[in-house]
Amino acid sequence: MALVGKKFPSLSVDAMNEMGDTFKVNVLEEAINNKKKVLLFWYPKDFTFVCPTELHAFQAALAEFEKRNTIVIGASCDTPEVHFAWLNTAKDHGGIEGVTYPLLADSNRNLSSILGILDITNETFDEETGTVQVEGDNVTYRATYIIDEDGLVQHESINNMPLGRNVNEYLRLIDALTHVQTNGEVCPANWEEGKDAMNANRNGVADYLASH
């Protein structure tokens, strides 16, 4: 189910920070109450391979997101305690020491289930045990959401497990969203901050294509 153009689900989830504090985070309320955009990115598992490269990449760009009035939140289905252990593992040992943004610990999989981003290839009902059994790792794909100041999802994307994200693309998308919000123009293909946008009408696209 696509969420673009809809309110992000209102659900409080356990989270952990680098200080070892466990607290609740409601992503929708973070956006609305703080009047900020939110970049929420999900990754499959702590203590794995592609995942720490992404967490460090978002940390390295954190100041750029902050300049764009954007909160960064990471998320997986690991517990808060596992997050904290990873936060206390040095980078040269595969850890994420130095990451300062909050990490959601959706260990009951309530939010990731609503979002439909879990790696479940099949579900079967076992009559003998009366349980639903799943095939797949039941962890999240690399899903990313950009949520605006009103709590509306403006972007969502999902990568399969081996495919790491390009953090600069999310900065570009936030720049484009801010330009649309500020100027009322739309952003054409390959738009970047400082390049021409266009009016969302017949003359606007004609003028743009004529000069590009």
Side-chain angles (χ1 to χ4, degrees):
M1 179 184 68
L3 286 180
V4 169
K6 302 180 178 70
K7 283 280 179 73
F8 192 82
S10 180
L11 188 69
S12 294
V13 180
D14 284 340
M16 172 65 69
N17 62 22
E18 81 279 12
M19 303 300 294
D21 301 319
T22 303
F23 50 97
K24 295 286 188 181
V25 171
N26 183 309
V27 174
L28 178 67
E29 291 178 356
E30 288 293 308
I32 295 173
N33 294 346
N34 292 297
K35 296 180 172 57
K36 292 179 180 287
K37 297 177 179 66
V38 174
L39 184 290
L40 171 66
F41 74 97
W42 294 80
Y43 60 92
K45 297 178 184 179
D46 293 359
F47 292 100
T48 53
F49 316 114
V50 176
C51 297
T53 69
E54 293 192 310
L55 272 78
H56 285 297
F58 278 107
Q59 179 66 36
L62 193 59
E64 292 299 319
F65 285 103
E66 290 172 348
K67 285 196 304 189
R68 291 163 172 80
N69 197 43
T70 300
I71 299 168
V72 173
I73 301 173
S76 79
C77 296
D78 296 279
T79 65
E81 293 79 12
V82 174
H83 281 339
F84 189 52
W86 204 26
L87 284 162
N88 279 281
T89 302
K91 184 177 181 180
D92 59 4
H93 284 83
I96 58 167
E97 187 177 34
V99 166
T100 59
Y101 48 82
L103 300 178
L104 299 188
D106 188 37
S107 54
N108 57 18
R109 290 162 171 74
N110 285 342
L111 182 54
S112 49
S113 294
I114 292 171
L115 297 174
I117 57 174
L118 289 166
D119 172 27
I120 298 174
T121 56
N122 191 37
E123 291 181 315
T124 56
F125 181 74
D126 187 303
E127 293 185 359
E128 183 176 346
T129 61
T131 60
V132 175
Q133 300 183 7
V134 302
E135 297 175 22
D137 286 340
N138 202 20
V139 297
T140 65
Y141 294 107
R142 300 186 192 283
T144 315
Y145 299 86
I146 295 174
I147 301 144
D148 70 16
E149 297 87 344
D150 296 318
L152 294 177
V153 177
Q154 296 290 339
H155 167 88
E156 62 179 325
S157 61
I158 302 176
N159 290 5
N160 207 347
M161 308 299 187
L163 306 177
R165 283 163 280 215
N166 184 333
V167 171
N168 287 332
E169 172 61 6
Y170 299 107
L171 293 170
R172 188 194 73 82
L173 286 168
I174 291 168
D175 286 340
L177 173 57
T178 302
H179 185 92
V180 171
Q181 292 172 323
T182 304
N183 299 288
E185 296 178 313
V186 294
C187 297
N190 299 324
W191 182 91
E192 295 176 345
E193 183 64 43
K195 290 187 175 181
D196 293 336
M198 62 187 188
N199 293 317
N201 55 44
R202 183 176 180 180
N203 290 336
V205 67
D207 292 343
Y208 181 86
L209 292 175
S211 60
H212 295 81

